[in-house]
Amino acid sequence: MDVDGCNGGCHLDGTVQSGSDKVEEHQLNCFRDSLEEEGKNSLTGENMKMGCGGHCNNYCDPAISSPDATVKLIEEVNGIDASDACTTDNKQRNSLSLVTLPPELILVIFSFLDARFALSVLTGVCRLFHHLLSPESSWKTRFGKRWRQRDKREDYDYVTSWKRICVQHEDMDRFWQDPVASLDFYELKDQHFATVDAVHVMRGGGLCISGARDRSVGVWNLNALCVPDEVGYGKKSFKQALDGHRGWVWCLSSDPTGAPRVCSGSWDSKIKLWDLQGQNVEMTTISTHKAAVLCLSWEQEMLISGSYDKSISLWDLRAGNIISKLKNHSKPVLCLSVDDRFIISGSEDKTLCVYDKRAAQVYKTVKLESPVFSLCHSSTCGYNYLRVGGREGRLHLLDTTADKFEEITPSIELDSNGKISAMCHYGGAVVACSSDKSIKVLEPSRVLSVIHSFDCHSGQVASVSSRGPVLASCFSELSIGIWRPKNLRPAQRI
C-alpha cells in the first residue's frame, strides 16, 4: 500500500487527511498489510509504524485510534479473540493522556470548553495547561475562530485583554440567546405622581431607588417581585418614600460597599444622604452647589457631584467637608464617570473634561460635536473605549489606551432620533436608552451591532441602571421598568 505523502492524522472513522485528499480506511489497510507481511499475531505500535512507513507521525498509534476499528482489524487479520488482543496492548493504551497530544490539538480541545472554566480551573491543573492558556495570543486565536463575524481589526488596538473578551462574549451569547423567553419584565407604578427622571439599582440587586419630579425618592424591594402577572406586585414591592427635597430629584447613587445608604441630588441645589435602616432616615444635607445637582457618583468615602452651576464638587463624607471644587466647563455639567485615577465629566458646552482625581486638576479636555448627555466606560468588557452619548442617536468613542482620551472617528449613529440619555453595562453588553422611547442592547466592540431592543415603554426613557442580573429603567409614564432572569424569581411562599 502506497502511503507516501501521508502527513495528516488518522481520524476515528479510519480516514486520513493529506492536503486536500482523503484516503479512506487508511489505518485499517496499512495495519492489515503490515501484519500479513510480517505474519505477526500481536497488534503493536511497532507494527503500525511499519505498515505505513512511519509517515503518519505516530497518529496511527492504537492508543488514539477508534476502538471499533481496532477490534475489527484484530478479528479480520489475526483471527483471534478481540478481548485477548486488547489485553495484550492494554499497557500501551493506558499510557495515553491529554498531555501527550500536540499543543495545537490540546488548544483545539480546550476551545470547546467554557472560557471561564479554562481560566479558573485548567490553568491550575499542570504547568503545561498553564503555559498554553496564559498567552493572550491563544485567546486572540480562540476569539477569531469562534466569532468570525465579530473579529474586526478595528478593535485590535483597543483591546485590554483577549481573555476577558472571550469570557464576556461567551457570557453575552448565553445571556442574550433569547431575552424574551429568559427575562421577566416588571412595571412598577402607582407610587410616583410625576415623571421619574432617575433610577438606581443598589449593590446586590435587591433594592432599587427612584427619583421623580414629585420631589420624592422611592425605595423598591425587588426580592418581593415573583410572577409578572401577579396582581398588585408593584404595591407589594414598594418599601418606602423618602421626602425632604424641595425640587425635582434628578440623580441618585448608593454606598459602593453595599451598606444601605443612598444619596439624592435635586433641583433645590441640595444633596441628601439617607440611611435605609436607621430610625432617622435622613442622615445629612450637603449644600455645596448654587444650582441644581444634575449628576452624582459615590466613590468610597468621597461623593462627587456635577451641577447646573458648571462646577464639580468633591465632598469628604467622613470629615463632612468639601475637598475640592473643579470648574472647567462653560455650561452645566450633565454626567460623570469616575474610576480610581480620573474624574470624567460631560457638559452641555460640547466638551468632555478629564480630571486627575488625586491632583484635582484638569488632565485633558476633549471637544465634541454634540453636548455630552451620558458616559459609559467599557474597560470592564475588555476594550479601551469610553462611550459618549450625544444628540440625535450619535455615539462618540474615545480611546483610553495609555490614558490618551482621543476621539475615534467616525462616530457611531444609532437608529434613533433622540438624545442618548443614559448607558450602562448589562449581560456583557452595553445598554443605551434614548429620549425617543427606545432601549437598545449593543455589542461592546467598536463595530455597531444591535443585539436586542426593548419595546416596553411608550414614553421617553430618562435613565437606565444595572447591578448584577438586574436592569432598571425609568421613563415619563411615571413608572419604573425592571428586567431580571426568570431563574432568579424568589421562591413563592405556600
Side-chain angles (χ1 to χ4, degrees):
M1 177 182 178
D2 183 13
V3 292
D4 290 341
C6 176
N7 295 320
C10 292
H11 299 284
L12 296 182
D13 60 358
T15 66
V16 63
Q17 179 72 33
S18 175
S20 61
D21 298 329
K22 289 187 176 180
V23 183
E24 300 294 336
E25 298 182 353
H26 163 70
Q27 185 181 21
L28 293 179
N29 292 334
C30 69
F31 295 166
R32 186 188 299 110
D33 294 343
S34 64
L35 292 179
E36 288 177 350
E37 289 176 6
E38 297 296 327
K40 298 182 179 180
N41 292 326
S42 62
L43 187 64
T44 66
E46 181 180 357
N47 291 341
M48 294 181 178
K49 292 180 184 179
M50 189 179 301
C52 60
H55 295 286
C56 288
N57 299 325
N58 294 328
Y59 284 102
C60 285
D61 191 280
I64 57 173
S65 301
S66 167
D68 294 336
T70 303
V71 172
K72 178 180 178 182
L73 176 64
I74 295 170
E75 293 176 343
E76 180 178 342
V77 177
N78 295 336
I80 61 175
D81 186 23
S83 61
D84 294 337
C86 289
T87 304
T88 305
D89 201 43
N90 185 53
K91 194 171 195 178
Q92 182 179 356
R93 194 172 284 120
N94 289 339
S95 66
L96 176 71
S97 66
L98 188 60
V99 296
T100 62
L101 297 177
E104 296 81 5
L105 187 55
I106 297 177
L107 286 175
V108 170
I109 295 173
F110 285 171
S111 68
F112 290 94
L113 302 177
D114 182 79
R116 196 183 299 275
F117 172 80
L119 286 170
S120 61
V121 177
L122 294 181
T123 53
V125 171
C126 64
R127 291 183 179 179
L128 174 62
F129 292 177
H130 184 273
H131 176 74
L132 291 175
L133 295 171
S134 293
E136 287 287 317
S137 58
S138 299
W139 295 92
K140 181 179 179 181
T141 301
R142 176 185 176 122
F143 184 86
K145 290 183 177 180
R146 182 160 182 177
W147 295 285
R148 296 182 186 276
Q149 73 280 8
R150 299 177 186 168
D151 186 24
K152 306 296 182 182
R153 294 191 177 274
E154 295 94 325
D155 287 320
Y156 282 9
D157 294 335
Y158 312 105
V159 172
T160 59
S161 170
W162 287 102
K163 298 174 185 176
R164 183 177 297 174
I165 285 177
C166 287
V167 172
Q168 288 284 346
H169 277 264
E170 286 187 4
D171 291 346
M172 183 175 67
D173 286 348
R174 283 192 294 266
F175 193 89
W176 296 104
Q177 186 175 7
D178 188 3
V180 176
S182 62
L183 295 177
D184 279 332
F185 173 70
Y186 307 89
E187 186 176 3
L188 310 180
K189 54 185 179 179
D190 301 330
Q191 297 300 326
H192 292 292
F193 57 85
T195 299
V196 183
D197 290 305
V199 67
H200 178 80
V201 181
M202 295 181 62
R203 184 174 178 177
L207 290 177
C208 176
I209 52 177
S210 56
R213 298 187 186 186
D214 59 11
R215 306 177 184 180
S216 70
V217 176
V219 182
W220 308 82
N221 179 15
L222 302 185
N223 292 326
L225 299 175
C226 292
V227 184
D229 55 6
E230 179 185 5
V231 178
Y233 65 76
K235 184 177 293 186
K236 179 181 177 182
S237 64
F238 187 75
K239 187 175 181 180
Q240 63 186 128
L242 309 177
D243 298 313
H245 283 294
R246 296 183 177 181
W248 297 349
V249 179
W250 201 256
C251 52
L252 300 163
S253 191
S254 63
D255 192 327
T257 65
R261 297 187 298 167
V262 300
C263 62
S264 56
S266 169
W267 277 79
D268 62 6
S269 75
K270 302 294 191 294
I271 301 172
K272 289 186 178 292
L273 268 68
W274 314 84
D275 184 355
L276 302 184
Q277 286 186 341
Q279 293 181 352
N280 297 319
V281 177
E282 184 177 334
M283 295 174 58
T284 186
T285 299
I286 300 173
S287 301
T288 183
H289 291 290
K290 297 180 181 179
V293 181
L294 303 180
C295 47
L296 284 171
S297 180
W298 191 331
E299 302 293 324
Q300 298 179 354
E301 290 300 322
M302 181 188 296
L303 190 61
I304 305 164
S305 57
S307 172
Y308 195 86
D309 64 10
K310 313 168 191 176
S311 70
I312 297 172
S313 176
L314 280 65
W315 187 270
D316 189 334
L317 292 174
R318 288 181 178 176
N321 55 32
I322 190 168
I323 301 174
S324 180
K325 202 154 192 175
L326 311 173
K327 191 170 183 180
N328 194 54
H329 291 292
S330 59
K331 288 188 177 181
V333 180
L334 303 178
C335 54
L336 289 169
S337 177
V338 183
D339 59 22
D340 293 337
R341 297 188 56 201
F342 298 105
I343 298 172
I344 306 171
S345 61
S347 171
E348 193 178 319
D349 62 8
K350 301 182 181 181
T351 64
L352 184 143
C353 193
V354 183
Y355 298 92
D356 186 303
K357 188 175 179 181
R358 292 185 178 180
Q361 295 180 349
V362 177
Y363 176 79
K364 189 171 184 177
T365 300
V366 182
K367 294 184 178 180
L368 301 171
E369 298 177 354
S370 165
V372 181
F373 296 106
S374 56
L375 296 169
C376 183
H377 206 173
S378 292
S379 59
T380 55
C381 291
Y383 296 101
N384 282 320
Y385 291 140
L386 175 64
R387 282 176 167 76
V388 181
R391 61 160 60 112
E392 297 177 353
R394 189 172 294 275
L395 193 62
H396 302 271
L397 291 179
L398 268 67
D399 176 17
T400 59
T401 305
D403 303 331
K404 290 189 294 187
F405 293 98
E406 295 178 352
E407 186 178 6
I408 303 170
T409 56
S411 58
I412 298 174
E413 292 186 11
L414 300 180
D415 185 16
S416 173
N417 297 322
K419 67 179 182 181
I420 301 178
S421 51
M423 291 181 286
C424 68
H425 291 288
Y426 181 61
V430 177
V431 178
C433 69
S434 172
S435 58
D436 68 352
K437 310 176 184 179
S438 68
I439 301 178
K440 298 184 184 298
V441 181
L442 312 174
E443 286 196 9
S445 63
R446 177 180 174 183
V447 180
L448 176 63
S449 179
V450 179
I451 301 174
H452 184 69
S453 294
F454 291 110
D455 300 319
C456 301
H457 298 316
S458 58
Q460 294 185 0
V461 186
S463 181
V464 289
S465 174
S466 68
R467 192 64 64 95
V470 177
L471 173 68
S473 66
C474 63
F475 47 105
S476 58
E477 294 175 314
L478 321 184
S479 58
I480 300 99
I482 300 292
W483 288 268
R484 188 177 61 189
K486 291 184 178 180
N487 57 8
L488 294 182
R489 288 180 184 175
Q492 291 182 294
R493 297 179 179 179
I494 301 176

